[in-house]
Amino acid sequence: MTHPRNTGPMRLSPRCGARTRKGTPCQAPAVSGKGRCRMHGGAKGSGAPKGNRNALKHGLHTAEARAMRALVRQLTKRTREILDDL
């Protein structure tokens, strides 16, 4: 196949190793030095963040927070009992 542009290096470059949703291999060229194309994680900054940020705890279910909520419930219940007696 002849083409006016120089497409030889592009056609001979290594292909992305990812699979498409159809199950066929991705036909895009891999990013240099990587095994994936820019759409499948070869681009700089793509992929999951470093570390496991999803594992960070917000503190809602710590022992201290549960104890504080139990204390507030007890105080609220006792306050209602005192107000009902008045």
Side-chain angles (χ1 to χ4, degrees), residues 33 40 49 56-57 62 75-76 82 86:
H40 288 119
L56 293 178
K57 300 297 180 187
T62 60
L75 291 173
T76 303
I82 291 172
L86 291 178

Side-chain angles (χ1 to χ4, degrees), residues 7-79:
T7 58
M10 176 73 163
R11 292 185 317 149
L12 296 176
S13 63
R15 300 288 118 182
C16 175
R19 293 263 175 204
T20 64
R21 290 186 286 180
K22 194 175 175 181
T24 59
C26 176
Q27 296 180 12
V31 174
S32 62
K34 307 251 181 152
R36 298 286 187 249
C37 67
R38 62 186 176 85
M39 295 163 284
H40 288 119
K44 183 176 181 173
S46 64
K50 299 294 181 198
N52 189 357
R53 293 187 197 156
N54 292 330
L56 293 178
K57 300 297 180 187
H58 44 67
L60 183 64
H61 300 290
T62 60
E64 294 84 14
R66 288 180 179 185
M68 180 59 76
R69 287 195 300 271
L71 179 63
V72 169
R73 277 194 305 272
Q74 287 176 346
L75 291 173
T76 303
K77 182 179 178 182
R78 183 69 183 129
T79 304

